Amino acid sequence: MSAQPDHAPVTTYAPAPGAPAELLTHLRADRRADTWVSAFEREWAAALEESRRTFSLAPLYEVVQEWQGRLASAPAVDAFVASGYDDGDFIDMAELRGRRR
């Protein structure tokens, strides 16, 4: 019998050590810096506290990954909003639920 596991462990996303500082630099340069920087710092502080409590880096990794995604998708969101999209076909589910009662 071998002491080795019979399956490969799942590797989690692990950002580079400087990723949070680099991300914060990009957030500060963005036009949304007024709201995004403070939101990132709040989420980072909460994740840091959670990491201290649980001895896990996963909460920190999640914050970095989520904010990298937000920053990466921002140009596409801006382009969509600037395109003058027509949301007239929007269905308000709350309104529909109210009609059924």
Side-chain angles (χ1 to χ4, degrees):
M1 181 179 267
S2 172
Q4 298 297 320
D6 60 354
H7 64 281
V10 176
T11 56
T12 59
Y13 168 79
E22 182 180 328
L23 180 58
L24 191 54
T25 299
H26 289 293
L27 291 173
R28 286 183 176 140
D30 193 274
R31 68 176 181 81
R32 302 165 192 82
D34 292 344
T35 55
W36 278 17
V37 170
S38 60
F40 172 78
E41 288 173 341
R42 274 192 312 274
E43 289 181 25
W44 182 259
L48 188 57
E49 191 57 39
E50 177 72 12
S51 290
R52 287 180 180 143
R53 190 179 63 73
T54 62
F55 297 99
S56 170
L57 295 175
L60 297 171
Y61 293 170
E62 290 171 9
V63 169
V64 169
Q65 189 173 18
E66 287 173 14
W67 278 96
Q68 285 173 333
R70 287 179 185 142
L71 196 58
S73 63
V77 172
D78 290 343
F80 176 73
V81 171
S83 72
Y85 65 94
D86 177 15
D87 63 352
D89 293 337
F90 173 75
I91 298 173
D92 185 352
M93 295 305 292
E95 183 180 328
L96 288 176
R97 282 187 214 104
R99 289 182 187 170
R100 291 182 189 161
R101 291 181 185 171

